[in-house]
């Protein structure tokens, strides 16, 4: 099963979708003055921008699309280097490759997000951007990252695909860097099956990103714009049905996060004080989504044994999100032969600190139930106190 939003699809989503179907207007574009046009995508963008405390939001067809558009809108291109953690979903890395630039992988720290010290080590005279990824619903060390970016004149693209609704020191994630990207796929905090969002405070960047997502058109086009298009774009639009579901989900996001935090705290309390078992560092306890509870063992053999007993895997062996397991990148399987240069920075074992941490780490699901993330064991957003306690006892027993 997937992320917490998917567990809470209910009458609100149905009502929004039926509203669209009854109106017959399926495209995101229409006359805002026409009462028959329900403008769900437009409303989603307005409400999400407000929610994040930024000027602009654009709804897109995926998180991957959001990242690619952001890189292109920023003018990142041939030969530019973008620093990205080696522990992330492949889309962060593949988007950099498709933007014709070079992903430079950096270590993570005990928060399982990018290690600012290693970012500094990876900066060269070709570095253009840093892409911090707020992995597992937790904010990166944005204070340090913004400091480094300013010092070296780099742009920051926040990958918030796993962290819709999370914040760092009172600011919503996505609003701290120059541009922020989100996903609405089924494993995320809120979902529309698929979809994405981009947020920014920069007017020019907004116009460029909007145009890239819709054939070069100006934001919210209403008619024929021949002769006024400012760039060559593609199509990453979403339709009103997706917008309707996303809008209903957005209106639930705070309740989802609040519920997850309560359940996570309960679980965490039940398994605290076990010898050899710690938790991952969280840079802002008040800001995380609490979709997962990540345990870090002092010893990797103990980690492997406990995971085996519980029918799950350490994060290092969990599949999708670890650079060591991304054969497409490691084997330079780029679609165009001379692009292989762009994945040359990734090779097995090239991030020893990341390897060490992930061999000792285990994800317990709280809201995101995903074996691909190493979170095949745990609870979900609807679990009762009793179920949480039973699950926590199982974990304790496996540790003894
Ligand atoms: C899910 C995810 C993406 C991509 O989102 P899609 O909507 O599936 O394209 C990008 N980055 C991270 C960190 C993700 O978890």
């Amino acid at each position: 099963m997937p992320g917490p939003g998917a567990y809470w699809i209910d009458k609100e989503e149905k009502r929004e979708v039926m509203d669209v179907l009854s109106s017959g207007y399926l495209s995101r574009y229409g006359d805002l003055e026409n009462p028959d046009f329900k403008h769900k995508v437009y409303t989603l963008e307005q409400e999400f921008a407000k929610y994040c405390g930024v000027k602009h939001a654009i709804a897109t067809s995926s998180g991957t699309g959001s990242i690619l558009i952001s890189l292109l809108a920023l003018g990142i291109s041939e030969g530019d280097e973008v620093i990205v953690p080696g522990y992330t979903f492949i889309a962060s890395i593949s988007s950099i490759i498709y933007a014709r630039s070079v992903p430079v992988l950096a270590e993570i720290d005990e928060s399982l997000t990018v290690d600012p010290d290693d970012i500094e080590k990876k900066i060269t005279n070709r570095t253009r951007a840093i892409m911090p990824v707020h992995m597992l619903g937790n904010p990166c060390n944005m204070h340090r990252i913004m400091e480094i970016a300013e010092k070296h004149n780099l742009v920051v693209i926040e990958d918030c695909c796993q962290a819709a609704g999370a914040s760092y020191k009172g600011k919503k994630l996505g609003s701290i860097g120059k541009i922020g990207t989100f996903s609405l796929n089924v494993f995320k905090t809120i979902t529309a099956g698929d979809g994405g969002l981009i947020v920014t405070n920069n007017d020019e960047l907004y116009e460029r990103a909007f145009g890239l997502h819709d054939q070069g058109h100006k934001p919210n086009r209403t008619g024929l714009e021949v002769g006024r298009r400012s760039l060559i774009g593609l199509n990453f639009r979403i339709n009103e049905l997706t917008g309707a579901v996303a809008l209903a989900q957005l209106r639930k996001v705070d309740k989802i996060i609040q519920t997850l935090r309560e359940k996570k705290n309960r679980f965490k309390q039940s398994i605290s004080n076990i010898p050899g078992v710690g938790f991952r560092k969280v840079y802002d306890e008040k800001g995380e989504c609490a979709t997962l509870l990540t345990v870090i063992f002092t010893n990797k053999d103990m980690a492997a044994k406990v995971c085996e007993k519980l029918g799950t895997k350490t994060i290092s062996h969990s599949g999708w999100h670890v650079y060591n397991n991304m054969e497409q990148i490691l084997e330079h399987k780029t679609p165009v032969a001379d692009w292989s240069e762009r994945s040359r920075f990734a090779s097995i074992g090239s991030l020893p600190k990341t390897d060490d941490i992930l061999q000792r780490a285990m994800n317990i699901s709280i809201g995101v139930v995903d074996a691909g993330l190493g979170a095949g064991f745990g609870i979900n957003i609807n679990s009762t106190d009793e179920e949480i306690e039973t699950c926590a006892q199982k974990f304790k027993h496996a540790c003894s």
Side-chain angles (χ1 to χ4, degrees), residues 132-166:
V133 182
H134 305 293
M135 275 304 276
L136 317 172
N138 280 352
C140 298
N141 185 347
M142 288 311 287
H143 176 74
R144 282 281 314 280
I145 292 169
M146 294 310 290
E147 232 173 41
I148 295 167
E150 246 161 69
K151 185 172 157 205
H152 297 271
N153 196 23
L154 306 173
V155 288
V156 173
I157 303 148
E158 288 180 73
D159 180 343
C160 316
C161 287
Q162 297 191 7

Side-chain angles (χ1 to χ4, degrees), residues 62-65 67 88-89 91-92 133 135 159 161-162 183-185 188 194-195 321:
S62 71
T64 310
I67 301 170
T88 182
F89 183 55
S92 326
V133 182
M135 275 304 276
D159 180 343
C161 287
Q162 297 191 7
S183 166
L184 297 169
N185 91 23
K188 313 303 185 183
D194 261 316
H321 299 76

Side-chain angles (χ1 to χ4, degrees), residues 59-66 69 194-197 213 235-238 242:
T60 69
S61 50
S62 71
T64 310
S66 295
I69 291 166
D194 261 316
L197 285 150
H213 121 288
N235 178 0
F236 293 94
R237 297 189 306 265
I238 60 167
T242 301

Side-chain angles (χ1 to χ4, degrees), residues 267 270-271 310 377-379 384-397:
F267 203 119
S270 290
I271 64 166
L310 296 170
F377 172 83
I379 58 165
T384 62
D385 290 354
E386 211 183 346
E387 285 162 349
I388 296 171
E389 198 43 43
T390 307
C391 196
Q393 289 308 324
K394 250 194 224 167
F395 178 83
K396 268 186 170 163
H397 186 72

Side-chain angles (χ1 to χ4, degrees), residues 327-346:
E327 70 282 1
Q328 322 92 301
I329 304 276
L330 296 167
E331 294 165 25
H332 301 199
K333 291 188 173 164
T334 45
V336 177
D338 67 336
W339 285 18
S340 63
E341 167 81 352
R342 293 187 190 122
S343 43
R344 76 183 190 277
F345 281 97

Side-chain angles (χ1 to χ4, degrees), residues 175-191:
S175 72
I176 303 166
K178 189 129 191 188
I179 199 162
T181 60
F182 295 83
S183 166
L184 297 169
N185 91 23
V186 288
F187 294 105
K188 313 303 185 183
T189 325
I190 54 170
T191 183

Side-chain angles (χ1 to χ4, degrees), residues 218-229:
K218 292 262 158 39
N220 303 311
R221 68 178 154 111
T222 48
L224 211 55
E225 288 188 326
V226 175
R228 296 200 288 125
R229 287 160 295 188

